[in-house]
Amino acid sequence: MGREIPGKEPYTGLSSELAEGGSIIVVVATNAPLLPHQLKRIARRVTLGLGRTGAVGGNGSGDLFIAFSTANAAASQPGHATDLKMVPNESLDALFAATVQATEEAIVNAMVAATDMTGVDDHEVRALPHDQLRAVLAKYNRLAH
């Protein structure tokens, strides 16, 4: 999109190094009964969703990915043993795919919903101009009806 939409740079007042090295926090929440080691594997799939949006993870980025499950709520109650349920490791592929797709979708939604903003020290970030975005999507037959 950046090559197709002319105009001002999306970042003003920021050094080019800072503008390229932004950070992202991604929280993956699920009700699937997963154990901590499985949630760690889920969180690692976030990078694949980021990659689908064109992100490359710059040197200065401080990306943070966490995952948690709301299943097995009784496991956090102190003072007694409890039975746990878990998805078998061999059945995680669908959850990996869902994590990648949800990450990509959340980033695209945030980019489209964003508005122009001015931050500390008058650093400005421009939002995507929706009219120009629609024109580019139509040009490449990517505009959903």
Side-chain angles (χ1 to χ4, degrees), residues 20-88:
E20 293 173 6
S23 300
I24 188 169
I25 298 172
V26 178
V27 178
V28 180
T30 182
N31 63 353
L34 300 175
L35 298 180
H37 74 279
Q38 294 172 315
L39 289 164
K40 188 175 185 178
R41 294 178 67 199
I42 292 286
R44 287 183 180 144
R45 280 9 186 233
V46 167
T47 56
L48 297 171
L50 284 170
R52 283 185 172 187
T53 67
V56 295
N59 179 56
S61 64
D63 304 335
L64 178 66
F65 314 134
I66 60 172
F68 70 90
S69 172
T70 59
N72 295 317
S76 64
Q77 295 176 355
H80 64 75
T82 186
D83 291 327
L84 297 178
K85 291 183 178 182
M86 68 171 270
V87 172

Side-chain angles (χ1 to χ4, degrees), residues 82-96:
T82 186
D83 291 327
L84 297 178
K85 291 183 178 182
M86 68 171 270
V87 172
N89 286 331
E90 298 77 24
S91 300
L92 289 177
D93 287 352
L95 292 170
F96 292 158

Side-chain angles (χ1 to χ4, degrees), residues 110-132:
M111 289 174 61
V112 171
T115 58
D116 290 350
M117 62 178 265
T118 302
V120 67
D121 297 328
D122 293 322
H123 295 165
E124 295 179 357
V125 179
R126 286 190 334 120
L128 283 170
H130 289 172
D131 55 338
Q132 294 174 349

